[in-house]
Amino acid sequence: SSGINAEYGDSKVCIVQAPTMQCRQAPWTRVNHLGNADNYDNQNPNASRIELDLPYFPSGEAKRCVLRIRYNISTGDYNGWKTDASSNNDDDVISNNPTIDVFGDGNGITLALNTAQTGRVFQDRSHVFEILPRTEAMEGKTMYNLNVMGKRGNLEQTVPSTEYDFVPSSLAITTDDLVHVQWTGSNTHNNNNDGNAGEGTDGTDRHNLMQMSGDISGSYPYTIEEANFWNNVESLTDPEATGVDIAIGLASSGHYCAKSGTDICPASESLDEKETKMDDKMNNAPASYSGHVLKFKKACSINYLCTRNNSFSNRSQKGSIWVRESSKAEVKKRAEMKDKSEMK
């Protein structure tokens, strides 16, 4: 079974066995470099990251999860595996800002060696999120999380984070795979007026996703009417939604949930009937958007951008998805072609 029965008093619960722990070498970067890394997946250089599979829960219930990230730093000046807190303030192990008599004349040179920094946790961040149960149509499928990273501000203001970007910004999948497009944001950044470079109301995040009218080097989106990519997709979270409905939701970050309404989207929140129209800077659009889980009907591709944050010469918030036929679909297509040729 996928769980282990354990008794707690008079009740029994199913405890999901944890997956095998992953232990990987961190991506290589220049020392103290808060920028792009040589990532383990041999993709183009990106900010240091680790790709992981979200846990699956057979209960069919939503689960709260905690992700904890720690950034540790150590030195080679002593054996870190055999040194612990009992060596604190022990100059025989390592001394703070020591002066070395390099010339042998009693006049030394001081090293900038702060022992408060030589073995410590620099960053310890915890994030809480919820994993929703899959629908029957999603079962057994590989689902990719297409999200947004970074924070508001320019290159200098966002350090040690990064400016906005889609993640992953390049995604190659098959028609057997699913993509969940979603993002989170805030309306209440406390940047003290020192991190508000960008568009729209200060202290706010906004994102959207629109098909580009040319290759990835351009800056313009197609209109909803022109954007033909969405004819190739369907939503597993809103099965009644058309390609146009999906495009409208992604373009407005959910300010409009469809063109005229679906079983999931009230007509009063649709493009045709919503009284409050979206601001041209998206200031009145939601900061966070649960989006759609997309299924692809056939091989296709898209270059896309965020219209609010993609700012020529300042920041690029663009991405690409390439979808190829799955091996099953290719076999089926060849069989159908063979049957047609034999019928002739």
Side-chain angles (χ1 to χ4, degrees), residues 70-276:
R70 305 185 77 192
Y71 164 34
N72 300 315
I73 190 169
S74 57
T75 178
D77 291 307
Y78 54 81
N79 189 330
W81 299 105
K82 297 182 179 180
T83 308
D84 56 29
S86 63
S87 298
N88 285 349
N89 302 314
D90 187 347
D91 287 351
D92 291 335
V93 176
I94 190 170
S95 57
N96 189 61
N97 296 330
T99 298
I100 310 300
D101 187 7
V102 295
F103 300 112
D105 62 356
N107 294 312
I109 291 179
T110 299
L111 306 182
L113 183 59
N114 183 354
T115 54
Q117 311 289 335
T118 52
R120 60 165 285 192
V121 178
F122 264 84
Q123 303 284 340
D124 193 341
R125 298 288 184 265
S126 294
H127 304 269
V128 180
F129 57 96
E130 188 175 52
I131 298 179
L132 301 179
R134 293 190 176 209
T135 66
E136 184 176 347
M138 301 174 192
E139 292 295 334
K141 302 285 188 181
T142 297
M143 186 186 304
Y144 293 90
N145 177 25
L146 176 53
N147 214 301
V148 170
M149 68 175 184
K151 60 179 289 188
R152 186 185 179 102
N154 59 33
L155 182 65
E156 180 182 4
Q157 293 167 344
T158 59
V159 171
S161 183
T162 184
E163 296 180 85
Y164 296 129
D165 201 1
F166 290 107
V167 58
S169 56
S170 299
L171 188 57
I173 59 174
T174 76
T175 50
D176 276 342
D177 300 324
L178 307 175
V179 175
H180 188 183
V181 185
Q182 59 180 321
W183 49 78
T184 60
S186 172
N187 285 322
T188 55
H189 288 315
N190 181 16
N191 289 333
N192 296 320
N193 296 318
D194 193 30
N196 279 317
E199 304 300 316
T201 303
D202 286 353
T204 65
D205 300 315
R206 291 295 183 272
H207 305 283
N208 66 348
L209 189 153
M210 298 191 69
Q211 182 180 359
M212 295 181 65
S213 61
D215 62 34
I216 200 72
S217 64
S219 302
Y220 283 80
Y222 279 126
T223 65
I224 298 297
E225 184 178 2
E226 296 169 334
N228 56 9
F229 170 80
W230 306 108
N231 298 329
N232 304 316
V233 304
E234 56 186 273
S235 171
L236 299 189
T237 41
D238 187 356
E240 196 181 44
T242 65
V244 170
D245 293 330
I246 295 169
I248 289 172
L250 293 173
S252 66
S253 190
H255 181 80
Y256 309 116
C257 52
K259 186 177 189 303
S260 57
T262 68
D263 287 343
I264 304 297
C265 168
S268 59
E269 296 297 316
S270 70
L271 176 65
D272 287 348
E273 298 190 29
K274 189 166 186 175
E275 294 183 2
T276 304

Side-chain angles (χ1 to χ4, degrees), residues 18-22:
T20 303
M21 183 179 294
Q22 297 183 27

Side-chain angles (χ1 to χ4, degrees), residues 281-296:
K281 294 285 189 180
M282 301 182 64
N283 290 316
N284 60 342
S288 300
Y289 180 49
S290 59
H292 290 271
V293 173
L294 301 179
K295 179 181 178 181
F296 301 87

Side-chain angles (χ1 to χ4, degrees), residues 298-312:
K298 62 180 182 178
C300 52
S301 63
I302 181 177
N303 295 318
Y304 57 86
L305 83 164
C306 170
T307 56
R308 168 154 144 160
N309 302 320
N310 187 72
S311 176
F312 183 72

